[in-house]
Amino acid sequence: MSDNTVVKAAKNVVESGEGVARNIWLAGLGLYSRSLEEAQQLNDKTNQLFDELVERGKEVEVQAKECIGRNSEKASEEVEAGMNDLFYRLSGVDREKLERMDEKIDKLTHAVEKLAAAE
């Protein structure tokens, strides 16, 4: 081989190495760009999914509040009925009758006050 051929071969190796290095660099940039795009798409999907879950949560919350309200009313009625039953068993007086008596006493008190004021 002549010196000229060796120099040409060396230049080809260097140019080839520069081409490979440039291609590696460009591949790295391409990978970075693609990663950013996929991350943005994933972020968009995540935000969309989160928003959908929030909307579903609002619907479930309304249903849960209605269910809790119904159960709370029912529980209150059952507790009040139990208390009335216990009160009746302990005192022998029906609570509804007692409440009606209270109303009558209030009316009588008011009528007596009117008569006292008229004198």
Side-chain angles (χ1 to χ4, degrees), residues 1-13:
M1 271 179 144
S2 70
D3 288 335
N4 198 11
T5 308
V6 172
V7 171
K8 283 183 184 178
K11 282 184 182 180
N12 284 340
V13 168

Side-chain angles (χ1 to χ4, degrees), residues 1 10 14-15 26 42 44 48 102-104 106 108 119:
M1 271 179 144
V14 169
E15 287 174 2
L26 293 175
L42 183 60
D44 292 342
Q48 181 182 4
D102 280 343
E103 290 173 9
K104 289 179 182 179
D106 288 341
L108 285 172
E119 291 182 356

Side-chain angles (χ1 to χ4, degrees), residues 19 45 48 57-58 62 67 75 85:
K45 287 180 184 179
Q48 181 182 4
K58 288 179 182 178
V62 169
C67 182
D85 184 53

Side-chain angles (χ1 to χ4, degrees), residues 44-57:
D44 292 342
K45 287 180 184 179
T46 301
N47 287 339
Q48 181 182 4
L49 178 61
F50 181 77
D51 292 341
E52 289 174 6
L53 291 173
V54 167
E55 289 304 314
R56 287 183 72 180

